[in-house]
Every structure is written in C-alpha cells, then in structure tokens.
Amino acid sequence: MEKKGKKAAKLSVVSTLHYIRLVYRSVLFVLLLISYIHFRLYSGITITERAENTPVILVITWAVFALEMILRFFPSKYESPGCQKQFARNYIKSGNTEIVIPDNNATVLIALGWIVFNGIFGALHMIGFLDDGIMFLLCSVYSICDIVCILFFCPFQTWFMKNKCCSVCRIYNWDYAMMFTPLFFVGGYYTWSLLALSVALLVRWEFTFYLHPERFSEKTNDYLQCRNCTEKLCVHKKQLKSLWRQVEEYTSERIRRLKK
C-alpha cells in the first residue's frame, strides 16, 4: 500500500485529451452498434445506403476523424510527444551523433502481421460473409483500442518493440492508417477520403523518419528525454498499476477472511 499523504500526480492536458477521445470514441461505437443491429433487423437496404440517407451522422463522424488527422500534420502542444517528434521545432540536439532506434526492425513484422490480420476480414467481406457494417464496427473497435494502447496497455510495445514509452514509439503515427485499414474494402467518398488521409499521415511520418532519423532517436533528440515530456503518461500508468495492486490485495484479504 502507498503511504498516506502522498499526493497523486495530476493528469496532464495531453493525457486528459486522450481520455476525452476514449469517451467519445466509445460512445460512437455504441451508437454504431445500435444502428447496425437496427439495420440488420429492419432495413432492406445496405448500411452504406442507410448512412447516405442520414448524412448528418455520417458527416459528423467523418469530420471528427478528418479533423483529428489534419491537425496531426502540424505541430501542437496538445498532442503526444510520440507523434510530435517528427517536427523540426521539436528536435533538441543532445550532442550525441549516434542514432539508435532499437525497435525499428519490429516495424516490418508489425506491418506484415496487420496486413495479414485485416486481409482475413477483407477476404470474408469480399465473399459476402461480412458486410460493410461490420467493417465500420471494426474501425470503431480499432479506434478505441488505439486509445487503450496509449493509456493502459500496448501489445505492440510490450511484445514487439520493447520501447520504454509512447514518446519514443517508432510507429506512433501509424495509428490512423491501422484504424482505417478495413475501409480499404468499403467503397464511398467518405470512407476512402478517411483512408487516404490516414495513409498520407503514415507516408509523411515514414518520409520524415528516413530523412531525419535523428529526430526519432532518444540518444540524439533531447525532446524525447523524460525531463522534457509534457504527457507524463508513465506517472499515470504507475498510479493505475498501484491502484490495481491495492484492489488485488483487498480482494485477496476479503477472500481469506471469508474462508475462515
């Protein structure tokens, strides 16, 4: 148990924004799920046609994610250092010229795995086993998982790249391209425009990486040092782990007492 009187660190502005995204993306998923169930039960048209018949919902959803991606093309103090390290203004020379990016090789494995994984859904969609609605729901699930990876647990970080935190993540700006991968199999202006924007973000990121790898290395860029982090997400994660340990200890103690 932690000592009493010890102040809990406040959430940073960046981390707070992550929680806001988690909330509205979760709400969007619930709305999409309800709409899809209603569509499957009562509608005789495709879900894409149904969405086009109610453009307000479609336009708002499209606008939210399109705006998020457009803002990623520019420096911002309200975004995670993980995606901001690509910009020249965030390159703080450390004096070290040795560029070390230990998780770079894992990116190829992650990319191939993601393509194969989503290729399965794509194949099922093409043979008619999955419809457009399922692909939309899949994108929505990915959007929630994206924030979960940032705030709580990231399998790519833990099992593949082994990087210390999101700030030094080699694939941080792959998130939208990964999120909207299922849209490759769904036609339409709104879907393909989101996919195009996400791919443009990924290409910009990779292009910057190969031109300026020094911005992505903790050894050469002091911006990636803990002392310069504006997110402080690691502190928050430690608090969550501490809370979880307390819950486990309390539960174990209750079970022990009940067994007496």
Side-chain angles (χ1 to χ4, degrees):
M1 300 286 285
E2 291 190 354
K3 291 181 180 179
K4 290 182 179 179
K6 187 178 179 180
K7 275 190 175 182
K10 292 182 180 178
L11 277 177
S12 66
V13 174
V14 179
S15 294
T16 302
L17 289 173
H18 290 322
Y19 273 101
I20 293 173
R21 289 189 185 102
L22 178 62
V23 170
Y24 73 68
R25 289 183 184 186
S26 299
V27 170
L28 177 60
F29 170 73
V30 172
L31 292 176
L32 284 172
L33 182 60
I34 292 172
S35 178
Y36 179 71
I37 293 171
H38 184 270
F39 151 75
R40 294 298 296 176
L41 291 175
Y42 304 109
S43 182
I45 60 175
T46 68
I47 195 165
T48 305
E49 291 171 331
R50 181 182 175 87
E52 289 173 350
N53 290 337
T54 53
V56 174
I57 299 173
L58 187 62
V59 170
I60 290 174
T61 303
W62 177 88
V64 167
F65 285 108
L67 180 61
E68 282 188 13
M69 287 189 282
I70 290 169
L71 291 176
R72 277 281 185 91
F73 282 98
F74 307 98
S76 172
K77 63 181 179 180
Y78 299 112
E79 278 283 6
S80 169
C83 66
Q84 293 294 297
K85 58 178 175 278
Q86 64 178 312
F87 299 109
R89 80 172 194 179
N90 294 325
Y91 176 48
I92 305 172
K93 292 182 180 180
S94 66
N96 193 334
T97 57
E98 183 189 6
I99 299 171
V100 178
I101 304 175
D103 53 8
N104 195 38
N105 292 331
T107 60
V108 177
L109 184 61
I110 291 171
L112 290 175
W114 192 254
I115 291 170
V116 171
F117 179 70
N118 284 277
I120 295 171
F121 291 106
L124 292 173
H125 178 270
M126 286 188 288
I127 64 174
F129 187 77
L130 301 179
D131 61 13
D132 289 352
I134 294 296
M135 305 309 273
F136 291 144
L137 285 170
L138 191 58
C139 288
S140 187
V141 169
Y142 286 166
S143 74
I144 295 171
C145 291
D146 174 48
I147 304 299
V148 169
C149 284
I150 295 171
L151 291 173
F152 307 114
F153 173 76
C154 178
F156 302 113
Q157 175 190 359
T158 305
W159 299 331
F160 295 96
M161 296 181 294
K162 313 290 184 182
N163 50 283
K164 70 170 188 177
C165 66
C166 293
S167 292
V168 296
C169 179
R170 167 67 179 82
I171 63 170
Y172 197 105
N173 251 29
W174 288 21
D175 55 348
Y176 286 102
M178 296 174 84
M179 189 188 309
F180 295 126
T181 302
L183 297 185
F184 177 80
F185 304 98
V186 181
Y189 168 77
Y190 291 106
T191 54
W192 281 1
S193 59
L194 286 178
L195 183 60
L197 265 175
S198 68
V199 171
L201 264 180
L202 186 150
V203 171
R204 158 77 179 276
W205 176 266
E206 290 301 309
F207 189 67
T208 305
F209 173 76
Y210 287 107
L211 283 180
H212 303 285
E214 69 279 359
R215 298 179 190 176
F216 294 74
S217 175
E218 187 182 8
K219 284 187 175 291
T220 53
N221 188 1
D222 267 354
Y223 175 73
L224 302 179
Q225 294 293 325
C226 296
R227 64 179 178 275
N228 294 318
C229 181
T230 56
E231 194 170 31
K232 303 300 180 187
L233 196 56
C234 58
V235 176
H236 169 59
K237 285 183 175 178
K238 286 176 183 175
Q239 290 176 340
L240 289 175
K241 286 179 181 178
S242 176
L243 177 61
W244 183 249
R245 281 197 301 270
Q246 290 178 37
V247 170
E248 286 183 329
E249 289 172 5
Y250 175 78
T251 304
S252 298
E253 180 61 22
R254 292 287 296 174
I255 292 173
R256 188 183 63 80
R257 288 180 179 179
L258 288 171
K259 286 182 176 178
K260 282 184 177 180

